[in-house]
Amino acid sequence: DTAVSQTPKYLVTQMGNDKSIKCEQNLGHDTMYWYKQDSKKFLKIMFSYNNKELIINETVPNRFSPKSPDKAHLNLHINSLELGDSAVYFCASSQVLTRGYTFGSGTRLTVV
Amino acid sequence: AQSVTQLDSHVSVSEGTPVLLRCNYSSSYSPSLFWYVQHPNKGLQLLLKYTSAATLVKGINGFEAEFKKSETSFHLTKPSAHMSDAAEYFCASGGGADGLTFGKGTHLIIQP
């Protein structure tokens, strides 16, 4: 069983489109995250979310929005896609008290 | 605020020789520290983590790291490199709902 699963694995889309990436975890963790890995492989947190609080990295454009229908899911919606949004997006989850993080396998987004 | 500095963007070693990947951290409190490995076009795999227990941490695949508070370092070592160790390695700091702060990565090259 995959602990943190993301879909799709690859996403190619045109500028200006709106797209979503789904993430599900079956670990019973209480917090989920989205990270962006740019073309230089630099990883930066975008959001963290538990049932009580959404923490947004202030550098993330408001075209990006996380949606959590329940504790096991944190989807990423992106509006009006731009070329600079091309990157690999990783979902992760953790149980905050144990500080153990598990990452999904990533979604490679290409905006053309 | 936390920050992580990986001192080498690239490290090249011969197969069978020791590996040393350097990481310094900056934190206003005692941090949790992590090493992750990313093989080409793959996700992030946890090698090991330090969470204020033993300062010498053993991980998977023969890797270990030593937490040195006086030097604010958490260097990753392996006694004997294998070709399969060629990958990108990330040091990270953090814990809790704020997620992880990553270094910029070290690309490990293994020469035959």
Side-chain angles (χ1 to χ4, degrees):
Chain A
D1 285 344
T2 303
V4 179
S5 60
Q6 300 178 225
T7 55
K9 189 172 177 64
Y10 299 96
L11 181 56
V12 181
T13 188
Q14 290 187 326
M15 284 176 55
N17 284 351
D18 302 338
K19 289 293 178 184
S20 296
I21 306 172
K22 295 184 177 181
C23 179
E24 175 182 6
Q25 57 98 0
N26 62 6
L27 298 167
H29 285 169
D30 58 14
T31 305
M32 297 184 72
Y33 312 82
W34 279 104
Y35 289 82
K36 178 181 180 180
Q37 185 174 43
D38 64 21
S39 59
K40 296 184 179 180
K41 297 194 178 296
F42 184 52
L43 281 152
K44 194 169 186 180
I45 190 165
M46 301 175 71
F47 306 100
S48 70
Y49 184 82
N50 62 25
N51 284 338
K52 301 174 184 176
E53 187 177 12
L54 172 66
I55 301 174
I56 302 173
N57 185 317
E58 60 188 13
T59 66
V60 176
N62 57 15
R63 297 182 295 103
F64 291 78
S65 58
K67 307 285 186 188
S68 180
D70 55 56
K71 191 177 176 180
H73 296 83
L74 184 66
N75 304 324
L76 182 64
H77 296 266
I78 315 170
N79 295 325
S80 302
L81 277 155
E82 301 177 357
L83 292 176
D85 298 332
S86 295
V88 181
Y89 293 85
F90 286 99
C91 178
S93 71
S94 76
Q95 190 65 24
V96 169
L97 289 179
T98 65
R99 298 186 174 183
Y101 296 83
T102 302
F103 283 81
S105 58
T107 296
R108 182 175 295 276
L109 171 65
T110 303
V111 182
V112 296
Chain B
Q2 300 179 66
S3 68
V4 176
T5 303
Q6 291 184 242
L7 299 169
D8 307 292
S9 60
H10 292 79
V11 170
S12 180
V13 302
S14 297
E15 189 176 18
T17 65
V19 174
L20 170 64
L21 305 182
R22 299 183 295 166
C23 174
N24 284 17
Y25 69 91
S26 173
S27 176
S28 57
Y29 55 91
S30 184
S32 294
L33 296 164
F34 306 79
W35 276 100
Y36 285 86
V37 61
Q38 184 179 30
H39 288 92
N41 299 314
K42 299 291 185 182
L44 294 162
Q45 181 182 21
L46 179 67
L47 285 175
L48 49 81
K49 67 178 179 181
Y50 166 78
T51 54
S52 73
T55 56
L56 183 62
V57 183
K58 294 189 182 298
I60 62 171
N61 300 334
F63 285 96
E64 64 181 36
E66 185 172 7
F67 173 72
K68 292 187 177 180
K69 187 174 181 179
S70 61
E71 299 177 8
T72 61
S73 68
F74 189 58
H75 300 335
L76 182 71
T77 60
K78 183 173 180 177
S80 177
H82 191 273
M83 294 299 292
S84 61
D85 294 328
E88 195 81 18
Y89 290 78
F90 294 95
C91 182
S93 172
D98 290 343
L100 294 173
T101 299
F102 284 89
K104 292 189 175 181
T106 298
H107 186 63
L108 178 61
I109 301 164
I110 311 296
Q111 305 281 1

